[in-house]
């Protein structure tokens, strides 16, 4: 049960209302590169993320627009910028801290939405079935090499619009010694 | 087999010749706080680490002086500063990249010495004997919690001057969700 690892650097997802403020009324995000997850893409657009301790300049926006704006950073980033971001599953933003976003057309003061992404794997319904897994299961991910390790508590996310890929952040990738083309073994 | 985790932020060890250049001829390092490892201490002294992409200002020196200058950074730091630092055991510096160090009295251009520390545990000879381990053995470290994981390939370092403690860097600590007071289980 092998799976490719996608390493997430800090990035953000935007709701249309915030795109309007940051880039201009009715603005549409410009695809720069497709992601592995179907229909998702890295955008040409970048914004600054402003926290109490520093500003991350030119952070990549991922599209398409979402129902809620979500900023994903690593624990290393969280310390650097001075925001106590909790580890959360995507979209579970209740009680999370906010930050300021600065775009070419305006600024947005978020009162919540900054998280450290909970590590997870994506599987299509067929891929999940083949491995005997379902949405919300927990698996382990084993990575070999000089910094080999086994991540416990890895969430399975499966359904239409998902495609086989493991998502780790840069701290996790660095701790495991992963380069861009790394693979992991899924352990039930 | 429980062990406390010591998380290492970027830091450096200096040989006396480099202390002389950075702080002044015959300068002695000033202890600021003792470390868990006997005889070792964080120093009052800080230096700037200069790489191709950025400068880390005011990085803490650890004492006492060593036979060779060694700069320890995380993989995250390595990318930020633009130095391809390899994962290495402390003191194994052949073929490693260098950097510039800037102190209050002068600058040192290192032609090698920048590493990402290989994760390891320290044990006194008695502690190693009690656990049936010896210097250069490999163990696993299990850490529980929302980012629970098992580090494989963890080096045992044992001998006089060692005291029970696991050393991880900030990427590893963040990937495991460790705070300052975290503990791990040693697995043979």
């Amino acid at each position: 049960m092998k799976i490719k690892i996608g390493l997430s650097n800090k990035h953000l997802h935007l709701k249309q209302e915030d795109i309007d403020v940051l880039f201009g009324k009715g603005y549409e995000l410009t695809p720069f590169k497709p992601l592995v997850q179907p229909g998702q893409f890295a955008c040409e657009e970048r914004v600054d993320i402003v926290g109490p301790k520093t500003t991350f300049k030119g952070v990549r926006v991922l599209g398409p627009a979402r129902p809620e704006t979500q900023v994903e950073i690593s624990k290393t980033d969280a310390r650097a910028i001075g925001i106590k971001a909790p580890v959360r599953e995507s979209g579970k933003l209740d009680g999370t801290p906010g930050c300021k976003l600065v775009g070419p057309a305006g600024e947005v003061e978020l009162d919540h939405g900054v998280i450290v992404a909970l590590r997870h794997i994506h599987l299509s319904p067929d891929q999940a079935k083949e491995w005997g897994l379902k949405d919300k299961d927990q698996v382990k991910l084993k990575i070999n090499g000089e910094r080999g390790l086994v991540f416990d508590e890895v969430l399975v996310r499966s359904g239409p619009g998902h495609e086989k890929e493991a998502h780790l952040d840069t701290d996790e990738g660095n701790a495991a010694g992963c380069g861009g083309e790394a693979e992991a073994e899924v352990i039930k």
Side-chain angles (χ1 to χ4, degrees), chain A residues 3-59:
Chain A
I3 193 164
K4 280 200 178 150
I5 295 169
L7 288 180
S8 300
N9 202 342
K10 50 179 146 343
H11 64 270
L12 67 166
H13 305 273
L14 293 171
K15 61 179 176 183
Q16 188 58 46
E17 188 187 335
D18 290 344
I19 294 171
D20 289 349
V21 175
L22 293 166
F23 296 99
K25 186 73 189 164
Y27 189 91
E28 283 184 30
L29 295 172
T30 318
F32 160 69
K33 205 176 69 172
L35 301 179
V36 171
Q37 298 311 305
Q40 298 192 29
F41 51 89
C43 300
E44 295 284 357
E45 288 77 15
R46 292 162 178 271
V47 303
D48 295 346
I49 301 176
V50 182
K53 288 175 65 179
T54 193
T55 294
F56 296 139
K57 303 282 287 182
V59 176

Side-chain angles (χ1 to χ4, degrees), chain A residues 47-121:
Chain A
V47 303
D48 295 346
I49 301 176
V50 182
K53 288 175 65 179
T54 193
T55 294
F56 296 139
K57 303 282 287 182
V59 176
R60 180 81 67 184
V61 177
L62 301 189
R66 287 204 179 178
E68 269 211 285
T69 291
Q70 175 171 305
V71 177
E72 298 182 37
I73 61 178
S74 71
K75 284 278 179 195
T76 296
D77 297 329
R79 186 155 304 133
I81 201 169
I83 298 175
K84 289 189 189 306
V87 176
R88 283 290 177 88
E89 188 181 341
S90 186
K92 304 225 165 146
L93 306 180
D94 285 0
T96 57
C99 66
K100 187 162 84 172
L101 303 179
V102 180
E107 298 182 2
V108 171
E109 194 71 54
L110 296 178
D111 63 1
H112 71 292
V114 184
I115 64 170
V116 175
L118 182 72
R119 58 197 177 214
H120 58 275
I121 66 171

Side-chain angles (χ1 to χ4, degrees), chain A residues 8 74-77 116 147 151 168-176:
Chain A
S8 300
S74 71
K75 284 278 179 195
T76 296
D77 297 329
V116 175
R147 288 192 136 184
F151 288 114
L168 302 177
D169 72 13
T170 47
D171 285 342
E172 294 169 323
N174 287 333

Side-chain angles (χ1 to χ4, degrees), chain A residues 118-134:
Chain A
L118 182 72
R119 58 197 177 214
H120 58 275
I121 66 171
H122 294 278
L123 294 172
S124 72
D126 283 353
Q127 290 160 351
K129 194 173 170 192
E130 188 190 332
W131 284 357
L133 291 169
K134 60 183 193 304

